[in-house]
Amino acid sequence: MIRNYLKVALRNIVRHPVYSTLNTLGLALGFTVCFLIALFVRDEYQFDSFVPQKEQIFRVYSQYADHNNIEERAPTPPMMAPTLAQNFPEVENTARVMMYPEIKRLFKTGDTKIYNEHGYFADTTFFHIFKLEFLYGSREQALNGPASLVISKKLSTALFGNQNPVGKELEMEGTTLKVTGVFKKNPKFHLQFDYIMPLSLAGIPAERMQSWGWQQFYNYVKVREGTNVDALESKFQKLAKTEMRKFDPESQAESTPFLQPLADIHLMSANFKFDMAKRGNITYVKALTFIAIFILLIACFNFVNLATSQSLQRAREVGVRKSIGASRKQLLVQFILETLFLTTIGMLLALVFSLLALPWLNAFTAKSISFYVFIEPVTILAIVLLSIFVGLLAGFYPALVLSNFKPVKVLKGSSNSKTEQGHTPILRHSLVVIQFSLSVLLIISAIVVYNQVDYLHNKDLGFNKEQIMFFPMRGDKMFENREAFKNQLNQVPGVSSVSIGYGFPGDAVAGDGIQVKENGQLVNHPATQLMVDYDYIQTLGLKVIAGRDFSEEMGTDASKAYVINETAVKNLGFISPEKALGQKMYWKVWTQDGTDSIKEGEVIGVVKDFNYKSLYDQVETAVLQIFPDAAWKVAVKLNTANLETSLTRVEHVWDNFSPDYPLEFKFLDENFEQMYQSEDKLRSLLAIFTAVAIFVGCLGLFGLAAFSAERRKREIGIRKVLGALKISCCC
């Protein structure tokens, strides 16, 4: 019987090629979108899943609250990990990873020179918690030596070829290190690095490492099996708040630590500040999942519409089969099997389409998803179940309609279709409305996302970001002769201004505090510290709305002057920009040896608020001050149409001061473009999937129109015989 049903199904496909093609193509496109999105979503959830005992590993992050502003921060103070290890028996192990600027560092071994920017300092226990696969060396002992260096297979091959490098020495930035291990990088690890060194090599004073206020570390903790993590988190929060209050009793802000499961770091940290982990966005994952469901529903509704509209074409077949004894149950089974057959064809076509589209998906999302996922037993089972589910969902109602025809009526040339009785096929029209409502919803979503992303790219940020290149200074000669370097850059034709500092828009900035007197006492306020020089405001084109810019003619500006933004005026209680001028402010100077030093100065100017971070971040209190010890980034304002020539001349100046290092630069506007890459990709995906949804919906409308014309052939023939023109029939 099944064999007979399949024969009938094949004959129907051949007899109605347009209907079969439209239906199968609609389902295939719906399945293809679902497959591609499923591959992406699955890959996003794979992050850190390979780590042994991952359920016991957590990252400490803080919820920082100040002046009704609450934000989550990934880095936390260096004392958190040791405090957890020493005070809570539930803790099995801890490790700290220090934030490290991603600039290219020079590795030398013999005549080989390699530049690499992806590295960290970490506690010796790092590989005890994160048991990455080691190709050479001992994972447990890899970071125990004072000059140890663990490198990735990629970096090892570049430096030493295919030989075992363990025990060999190399030089990094003038420091001799010994390779103690080679690990295999896993693209699904939330920390992506090519080398890692023991924290002792960072040269941080012991007093500094005991800080409860310096938020420069990622603290990880591994708890013992069976630990009540909520209870541990609550106890640690109480202890941490006590220690932080002791460390800075004058602070008005409150920082509360939380334990974030390892599995949540990739997808649940999109809004975390200062996070160097490889992050996704759970909101986008959910949005794409809903889009996949919408498109699959549209394809199913499309199938139902086409199948029910074809019912009149198969009415006589049903009448004949019923007259020779076929039961309604048999007809239901037959038509559902036909639907499952078409669904299977659509599924196979979708697999082919997915295979062809996978390279594009990998290139678009910067992933390396393999098609071999489809041959995994779990995936095969999911595909089979999805085919059956969609087949039943799309085929049940058409089968119900077809099996309900009365044989006497249809064999007499009549039909019990409500359409023939002057009634409207409510369900079919409702499905068309729902189908296009979902399409319109996708269109509206695409338009909203497009406008939002366009706003992100084109909003006035409060400074001039065009034609400003910036790069880090490299080498002792450049740091020792920074003024000479800056003067030579200023002499390059096409260069209008040069600034050397720390804290350029779109780049790393320092979160610190500033103190002002309130009721005779110094009160600490959180502030972003921008370490600038005399040309910073001019180079970026910031607008001074009160007071003046820094000036070399004023001898005290380097040691006793501050410039603040409008938000600082409000948050520090200065009432207005004009009244802020002359106000005293105090800053705890950054020192290498950890000794206390206070810089007392006054506000000499106020600049209009500017977005030095992403537009997702609120503009915060910003303090600009001259502090050459922290300056290590160079911004060059170009004012020329001949960029290529100017860049070549800038590179020549670079080579005079730092011949051992390549000039690695970015343009400021490109940096801001990179901030919104995920939004750009979401916009593109929405546009593509919306187009697919519209196309599938139009396939259904085309099919409905074709079958409507098929049913009215006799009417059109009679009207033409009676003299109707072609245009009249179309109308």
Side-chain angles (χ1 to χ4, degrees):
M1 186 176 290
I2 300 295
R3 183 179 178 184
N4 182 56
Y5 290 161
L6 290 176
K7 284 184 178 180
V8 173
L10 285 171
R11 288 171 182 167
N12 264 300
I13 291 174
V14 173
R15 189 177 298 126
H16 305 289
V18 175
Y19 158 78
S20 302
T21 301
L22 293 179
N23 234 340
T24 306
L25 184 59
L27 283 175
L29 288 174
F31 282 137
T32 301
V33 171
C34 286
F35 287 161
L36 294 177
I37 291 178
L39 288 173
F40 174 82
V41 170
R42 179 184 181 276
D43 188 80
E44 288 291 281
Y45 277 105
Q46 291 295 309
F47 272 80
D48 297 313
S49 61
F50 70 94
V51 178
Q53 300 175 315
K54 59 183 179 295
E55 299 83 3
Q56 298 170 231
I57 301 173
F58 298 82
R59 181 177 70 169
V60 183
Y61 74 94
S62 64
Q63 189 177 82
Y64 188 85
D66 178 69
H67 295 289
N68 298 321
N69 180 38
I70 300 177
E71 62 184 27
E72 280 75 31
R73 295 181 174 180
T76 45
M79 276 302 293
M80 286 194 169
T83 301
L84 278 162
Q86 294 167 11
N87 294 275
F88 300 98
E90 304 98 311
V91 173
E92 181 179 311
N93 214 336
T94 62
R96 295 169 295 187
V97 176
M98 183 181 177
M99 290 178 66
Y100 202 40
E102 287 195 344
I103 60 173
K104 289 194 173 181
R105 288 171 171 80
L106 178 62
F107 291 81
K108 293 182 182 179
T109 174
D111 296 329
T112 304
K113 294 182 180 180
I114 297 293
Y115 295 95
N116 193 286
E117 69 270 30
H118 306 299
Y120 293 110
F121 290 109
D123 278 328
T124 58
T125 54
F126 178 81
F127 290 113
H128 298 181
I129 294 179
F130 300 110
K131 297 180 179 179
L132 304 183
E133 181 182 350
F134 264 57
L135 303 176
Y136 302 110
S138 168
R139 181 170 53 209
E140 287 71 22
Q141 306 296 323
L143 291 174
N144 286 355
S148 301
L149 177 69
V150 180
I151 58 178
S152 67
K153 174 61 177 175
K154 177 184 176 182
L155 185 55
S156 174
T157 302
L159 289 168
F160 302 102
N162 293 322
Q163 57 185 308
N164 181 356
V166 172
K168 296 185 178 182
E169 292 185 343
L170 57 76
E171 185 180 303
M172 188 197 76
E173 303 287 311
T175 302
T176 301
L177 303 171
K178 180 183 288 187
V179 178
T180 55
V182 177
F183 67 92
K184 183 179 179 181
K185 286 183 70 172
N186 192 313
K188 297 296 181 291
F189 189 41
H190 73 280
L191 291 177
Q192 291 294 305
F193 55 90
D194 284 304
Y195 63 93
I196 193 164
M197 300 168 288
L199 199 52
S200 57
L201 277 176
I204 305 169
E207 296 82 4
R208 187 74 164 157
M209 291 301 295
Q210 296 175 3
S211 170
W212 279 93
W214 183 34
Q215 300 186 16
Q216 194 76 19
F217 293 83
Y218 303 111
N219 287 268
Y220 295 92
V221 55
K222 182 179 180 182
V223 301
R224 301 187 189 280
E225 190 174 358
T227 296
N228 185 332
V229 178
D230 292 336
L232 173 62
E233 182 180 73
S234 180
K235 290 187 291 184
F236 177 57
Q237 287 174 348
K238 292 178 183 178
L239 178 58
K241 286 183 179 180
T242 301
E243 295 296 333
M244 284 187 281
R245 186 60 61 189
K246 289 179 184 177
F247 180 80
D248 189 3
E250 299 172 354
S251 176
Q252 302 298 305
E254 185 173 284
S255 183
T256 305
F258 290 88
L259 300 181
Q260 181 183 33
L262 179 64
D264 290 351
I265 292 177
H266 178 67
L267 284 177
M268 305 295 184
S269 306
N271 62 331
F272 281 24
K273 309 298 181 185
F274 317 115
D275 197 348
M276 296 181 72
K278 189 175 182 180
R279 294 182 291 174
N281 193 318
I282 189 63
T283 302
Y284 296 162
V285 169
K286 290 180 178 179
L288 289 174
T289 303
F290 280 116
I291 289 171
I293 294 172
F294 283 176
I295 292 179
L296 188 59
L297 286 176
I298 289 171
C300 289
F301 293 164
N302 187 65
F303 184 96
V304 172
N305 286 332
L306 288 175
T308 52
S309 66
Q310 198 206 16
S311 60
L312 294 179
Q313 303 293 325
R314 303 190 64 181
R316 291 189 178 182
E317 174 193 343
V318 173
V320 170
R321 293 177 67 87
K322 278 194 171 184
S323 66
I324 60 177
S327 67
R328 188 180 184 190
K329 180 180 178 181
Q330 289 175 317
L331 291 171
L332 275 171
V333 172
Q334 176 194 338
F335 293 129
I336 288 177
L337 283 177
E338 286 185 17
T339 303
L340 289 173
F341 183 68
L342 283 175
T343 304
T344 302
I345 296 175
M347 184 69 74
L348 294 175
L349 281 176
L351 289 173
V352 175
F353 293 161
S354 299
L355 177 61
L356 296 175
L358 193 56
W360 168 83
L361 180 67
N362 283 328
F364 186 76
T365 60
K367 291 182 178 293
S368 54
I369 302 172
S370 172
F371 190 77
Y372 290 107
V373 171
F374 284 108
I375 64 175
E376 295 177 359
V378 175
T379 308
I380 294 174
L381 178 62
I383 290 174
V384 172
L385 292 177
L386 179 62
S387 299
I388 295 173
F389 174 75
V390 172
L392 293 175
L393 178 67
F396 181 75
Y397 178 74
L400 201 64
V401 171
L402 288 168
S403 63
N404 196 39
F405 285 140
K406 304 299 182 185
V408 175
K409 289 185 176 181
V410 296
L411 290 177
K412 286 182 177 180
S414 179
S415 170
N416 62 337
S417 169
K418 291 185 177 181
T419 305
E420 293 297 312
Q421 299 171 15
H423 297 291
T424 302
I426 296 176
L427 179 62
R428 192 166 75 237
H429 286 194
S430 299
L431 291 179
V432 171
V433 171
I434 295 173
Q435 181 181 18
F436 278 89
S437 296
L438 293 176
S439 299
V440 169
L441 179 61
L442 287 177
I443 293 171
I444 293 173
S445 300
I447 293 172
V448 170
V449 170
Y450 177 86
N451 289 334
Q452 288 296 317
V453 175
D454 185 66
Y455 174 81
L456 291 174
H457 286 300
N458 297 310
K459 182 185 182 297
D460 181 11
L461 300 177
F463 66 92
N464 184 3
K465 66 179 187 292
E466 304 300 327
Q467 289 196 318
I468 296 180
M469 61 181 293
F470 72 104
F471 48 84
M473 294 196 301
R474 306 297 301 275
D476 294 338
K477 182 180 178 181
M478 186 175 290
F479 278 95
E480 292 168 0
N481 301 278
R482 70 180 69 190
E483 288 303 318
F485 176 59
K486 181 177 177 180
N487 290 335
Q488 287 194 27
L489 286 175
N490 273 316
Q491 294 172 14
V492 172
V495 172
S496 61
S497 181
V498 180
S499 175
I500 301 179
Y502 169 46
F504 288 99
D507 197 40
V509 296
D512 202 354
I514 196 75
Q515 293 179 327
V516 296
K517 281 189 176 180
E518 297 179 10
N519 300 323
Q521 292 185 340
L522 286 177
V523 176
N524 189 66
H525 291 265
T528 297
Q529 295 288 346
L530 304 177
M531 306 309 183
V532 305
D533 63 3
Y534 296 102
D535 300 305
Y536 182 94
I537 292 176
Q538 174 191 346
T539 302
L540 293 181
L542 303 184
K543 185 178 180 181
V544 179
I545 59 175
R548 62 177 177 84
D549 189 0
F550 294 107
S551 173
E552 291 184 271
E553 298 177 359
M554 305 296 294
T556 59
D557 276 7
S559 58
K560 295 184 178 180
Y562 297 103
V563 173
I564 60 177
N565 65 349
E566 292 175 290
T567 299
V569 172
K570 179 180 65 175
N571 290 344
L572 299 179
F574 293 154
I575 303 176
S576 69
E578 291 74 18
K579 291 185 178 180
L581 302 178
Q583 295 285 348
K584 295 286 185 181
M585 298 201 306
Y586 305 83
W587 177 61
K588 292 182 179 179
V589 180
W590 298 336
T591 56
Q592 292 293 329
D593 57 7
T595 57
D596 289 337
S597 178
I598 300 294
K599 174 181 176 179
E600 178 184 345
E602 64 179 40
V603 178
I604 64 166
V606 178
V607 295
K608 188 176 180 61
D609 278 343
F610 62 103
N611 293 92
Y612 48 86
K613 297 182 185 178
S614 161
L615 287 175
Y616 289 109
D617 299 308
Q618 291 183 345
V619 176
E620 301 168 342
T621 297
V623 176
L624 288 70
Q625 60 172 305
I626 296 176
F627 189 67
D629 289 350
W632 68 290
K633 282 287 181 78
V634 183
V636 180
K637 174 66 176 176
L638 301 171
N639 186 21
T640 176
N642 194 352
L643 278 177
E644 189 173 339
T645 301
S646 296
L647 291 175
T648 301
R649 291 173 175 172
V650 168
E651 191 169 0
H652 287 162
V653 175
W654 171 277
D655 290 337
N656 292 335
F657 289 87
S658 186
D660 292 333
Y661 297 92
L663 173 60
E664 298 288 337
F665 65 89
K666 293 181 179 180
F667 279 93
L668 212 57
D669 55 349
E670 293 175 347
N671 225 31
F672 276 86
E673 293 291 324
Q674 290 176 359
M675 288 184 183
Y676 310 119
Q677 282 184 342
S678 58
E679 286 79 3
D680 289 335
K681 290 179 179 179
L682 179 64
R683 174 175 62 179
S684 300
L685 287 175
L686 266 176
I688 293 169
F689 294 149
T690 300
V692 171
I694 294 172
F695 180 70
V696 171
C698 290
L699 284 180
L701 281 185
F702 177 78
L704 290 175
F707 282 116
S708 177
E710 181 80 15
R711 288 198 304 268
R712 300 181 65 185
K713 281 195 301 186
R714 289 184 179 179
E715 173 195 342
I716 294 172
I718 293 172
R719 293 180 67 182
K720 278 194 170 186
V721 168
L722 295 176
L725 299 176
K726 184 176 182 181
I727 189 171
S728 302
C729 295
C730 292
C731 295

